[in-house]
Amino acid sequence: MDKEIQVKTIVINGDNTLSGTPKQLTATVLPTDASQKEVTWSVSDSEIAVITETGLLTGLKNGTVKVTATAKDGSGVKGDKTYTVSGITGSAVLIQSIAITAAAITNGQPLQLTTQITPANATNKTLTWTTSSQAIATISADGLLTPKLNGTVTITATSTDGSGKSAQIEIIISGVTTVYPTTVRGESILLWQRSNGGWGKTIADLNDYNVAPTTEEKAAALATKNNTDTTIDNGHVVTELRWLLADYKTTQNPNYLAAAEKAIDWLFLAQYANGGWPQYYPDKSSYRHQITYNDNAIANVMNLMWDIIKAKNNLELVNPAYKPKAVTSFNKGIDIILQTQITYKGKKTVWCAQHDEVTLLPALARSYELPSFSGSESVAIVRILMLVEQPSTAVKQAVKDAVDWFNGAKLFDITTQKITDATQPSGQDVVVVPSPGNVIWARFYDLTNNLPLFCGRDGIPKTTLAEIENERRVGYSWYGNWPSALIGSEYTNWKAKHGL
């Protein structure tokens, strides 16, 4: 887990005078390696001056006003400066309406957008321009729209005078003939992306995307474009879109960015109102509808949302409009994690690999994945909780309770060993053997007695690994050291960071 470095000091740059001309403010944020350097701007008196989200300060009448820059990293650090506003000879006239002139691109060439602003004598007519898809088209500070792909974009023009006025227009783009560099992986991922933005498990081994598809595979991919078997299981969707962004970064092929953003849209759409994600969406047959922590499915999505929020690990390449959506999504995810933490004998513990999305209770998935305490998936869930920069009392207690459970669930002096065994159907076996001094955990623990739990395809719980069939013994991870680093240095550092 990356160590978050919080802001310690904010200094607003430049002098403290403001004339009738708007002034772009900047701030120095220290330390220089702070994890998040973004600030929120505000003014003490909006009748004297107004300021935009990006720090453009506009005087409305003569006087003094305090401007404050507040760190967005949750540290609470602020920097302020008092400005003297002078040279305002009359009352500022705010924008009442903005209209963008209707336009379309049919030749694939850049287009200068124009607006009509009322009243004509508005004091500050400066606008900020944004596009719904930077993959399809980018737009400059003065409204020059540059197409990248054929498609449709929504363009927004927003006032900077504090009036809060804005306008939108949908622009259809055609005639773009640019041929962009490609990668085998990127093209293969594009090929298998479903129409809804996600991916199924047809490419079970994600590394197979690095191999150019055959003619038969291309035909199969095109024939299944509208399938609804899209899933976050086994790393899907999150891995594909991360790889698309990596390939976009090296090729600048906007098709890869557009596909990655379509996948992010799918993730937002798939999230339940209560904050959980199902294993599949929109196909919710069988156990696919359950809130799925199994194989770190939700943890992978939450880490992606965190990277959007922090604009890192190539997620800084996606549309900035995703950031507030990711904040909401992440916070909802934290809420459902807290709600699904299992209580045992009056104390919170860890999580099941999957929970019912309505009752939130531990739920059955495959026949050998019974409702249970998870010694594996719960580790990633705790790490997500530990990302929260200003953890509530509930978050702090959830982490502590989970670590307490991990410490109490340790299994001593044993390990597992894979052996060759010609008498077994698979020709091999996994057995538990003595290992003095070793500490491991079981994948699952029984909800009734908190003891290791094993289960074969018959769905009947067993107390030892040897009791289940050979195929499940060798085909599933029943023991591991998953919590080891978490309950050691990671937990120690987390407590020190939050003064616990």
Side-chain angles (χ1 to χ4, degrees), residues 454-480:
F454 308 89
C455 190
R457 293 188 182 275
D458 60 5
I460 301 173
K462 310 292 195 310
T463 58
T464 65
L465 181 61
E467 293 178 79
I468 65 174
E469 67 268 25
N470 176 259
E471 182 266 336
R472 282 297 80 199
R473 286 200 300 273
V474 301
Y476 204 70
S477 298
W478 293 101
Y479 289 97

Side-chain angles (χ1 to χ4, degrees), residues 444-456:
F444 303 126
Y445 291 74
D446 195 300
L447 291 174
T448 62
N449 57 25
N450 204 26
L451 295 175
L453 171 69
F454 308 89
C455 190

Side-chain angles (χ1 to χ4, degrees), residues 322-485:
Y322 283 122
K323 183 170 182 177
K325 295 180 181 180
V327 170
T328 299
S329 179
F330 184 86
N331 289 340
K332 287 168 61 178
I334 293 296
D335 288 342
I336 199 63
I337 286 173
L338 294 178
Q339 292 180 62
T340 50
Q341 191 172 18
I342 304 168
T343 299
Y344 178 72
K345 293 186 176 181
K347 180 178 173 62
K348 292 289 187 179
T349 58
V350 286
W351 294 263
C352 183
Q354 54 280 322
H355 288 251
D356 185 276
E357 75 277 14
V358 177
T359 67
L360 306 187
L361 295 173
L364 171 71
R366 290 174 288 192
S367 59
Y368 51 89
E369 294 171 331
L370 304 178
S372 58
F373 302 108
S374 170
S376 171
E377 281 79 6
S378 296
V379 173
I381 299 171
V382 175
R383 286 185 171 129
I384 295 299
L385 291 174
M386 292 167 73
L387 287 174
V388 179
E389 291 170 326
Q390 285 192 301
S392 63
T393 300
V395 170
K396 292 176 182 177
Q397 190 63 46
V399 172
K400 180 183 182 301
D401 288 340
V403 171
D404 286 348
W405 183 89
F406 285 128
N407 279 317
K410 291 177 179 177
L411 304 173
F412 298 96
D413 302 326
I414 60 171
T415 191
T416 57
Q417 183 177 340
K418 181 171 282 190
I419 62 173
T420 299
D421 187 344
T423 68
Q424 297 295 334
S426 66
Q428 56 186 357
D429 207 349
V430 174
V431 295
V432 178
V433 297
S435 180
N438 191 45
V439 176
I440 59 174
W441 287 260
R443 177 76 174 262
F444 303 126
Y445 291 74
D446 195 300
L447 291 174
T448 62
N449 57 25
N450 204 26
L451 295 175
L453 171 69
F454 308 89
C455 190
R457 293 188 182 275
D458 60 5
I460 301 173
K462 310 292 195 310
T463 58
T464 65
L465 181 61
E467 293 178 79
I468 65 174
E469 67 268 25
N470 176 259
E471 182 266 336
R472 282 297 80 199
R473 286 200 300 273
V474 301
Y476 204 70
S477 298
W478 293 101
Y479 289 97
N481 63 352
W482 308 287
S484 182

